[in-house]
Amino acid sequence: MHHDLQVLADPAAVARAGAVFVAERARAAVAASGSFHFAVSGGHTPWAMFAELASEEVPWEATVIYQVDERVAPPGDPDRNLTHLTKALGSAPARVQPMPVNESDLVVAAVSYAAVLPEHFDLVHLGLGPDGHTASLVPADPVLSVTDRLVALTEPYQGHVRMTLTYPALARARQILWLVTGDDKREPLQRLLAGDRTIPAGRVEAAASLVIADRAAA
């Protein structure tokens, strides 16, 4: 998959540019279809981006936010992406569809989350790990081979089982936005841009892709 690349000075500039891009996509989607379907990953950079979105014109009332992935942890846990997403949104009246990671049967919960996903995402935000993972599609995990489900569970990774969108779900994206910062991302970013499918991120396919990276990563 081809990736457009934008390199900026530092993480703050990446967050700012990401916010401008998200706001533009949101307005265009709402103008075209009346709603904006946006899937968000975890990590420090997206929360900085959400802070910048406060100064942008975003049609929050017509926005539905989905989680790309989530750790199986109690509600409010600082390891939960939802904890940070809720804080980052503040009073913005977007509708959030949280991953149901506190259900007793997580396999059934994954199926139920798949059922609420849209036919197409207007925008999917992804990050990039130093090991080349994205979403919770992590190296050597059986989840990488899931092609018949939109949502699946990982083996324990960094202390948590995770629920994640799979490659078929990410392929529903009309646009992917990668936010990549830090010198520990330099090697995986080079591999992503080169189309290296031996890292999980390199196997993502979607209609279009923009990478916004800081100088340290690029």
Side-chain angles (χ1 to χ4, degrees):
M1 182 173 68
H2 171 74
H3 304 279
D4 293 324
L5 175 64
Q6 184 177 357
V7 180
L8 301 174
D10 52 35
V14 170
R16 177 66 186 150
V20 170
F21 187 79
V22 169
E24 289 173 350
R25 296 292 299 193
R27 293 192 297 268
V30 171
S33 67
S35 60
F36 175 50
H37 295 276
F38 181 28
V40 182
S41 300
H44 297 294
T45 308
W47 314 138
M49 177 186 71
F50 270 98
E52 294 288 348
L53 277 170
S55 61
E56 293 293 324
E57 183 183 340
V58 180
W60 290 117
E61 296 86 353
T63 296
V64 185
I65 297 178
Y66 305 84
Q67 290 191 272
V68 169
D69 61 333
E70 181 62 285
R71 296 167 177 83
V72 176
D77 191 294
D79 284 340
R80 287 280 300 272
N81 290 336
L82 183 63
T83 303
H84 300 282
L85 175 60
T86 302
K87 181 179 178 181
L89 280 171
S91 61
R95 179 158 62 94
V96 177
Q97 291 278 9
M99 282 185 158
V101 296
N102 296 121
E103 298 295 322
S104 57
D105 189 328
L106 289 173
V107 173
V108 172
V111 172
S112 70
Y113 198 70
V116 305
L117 297 179
E119 183 176 354
H120 295 287
F121 294 106
D122 296 298
L123 181 63
V124 173
H125 156 260
L126 292 176
L128 180 64
D131 60 358
H133 86 266
T134 192
S136 283
L137 302 170
V138 300
D141 194 292
V143 76
L144 300 179
S145 300
V146 173
T147 59
D148 60 347
R149 284 166 285 158
L150 298 175
V151 183
L153 301 166
T154 70
E155 299 292 325
Y157 176 72
Q158 296 179 348
H160 292 283
V161 171
R162 300 167 185 231
M163 187 177 289
T164 186
L165 300 187
T166 60
Y167 289 120
L170 296 178
R172 292 186 171 197
R174 291 191 169 101
Q175 174 74 54
I176 289 181
L177 171 64
W178 306 77
L179 300 181
V180 184
T181 61
D183 57 9
D184 60 338
K185 311 295 178 61
R186 182 178 292 271
E187 180 185 355
L189 179 55
Q190 290 175 346
R191 294 172 70 178
L192 174 68
L193 295 173
D196 184 349
R197 295 176 62 86
T198 65
I199 61 169
R203 293 170 56 183
V204 172
E205 297 286 344
S209 174
L210 171 64
V211 179
I212 304 180
D214 67 358
R215 289 198 189 109

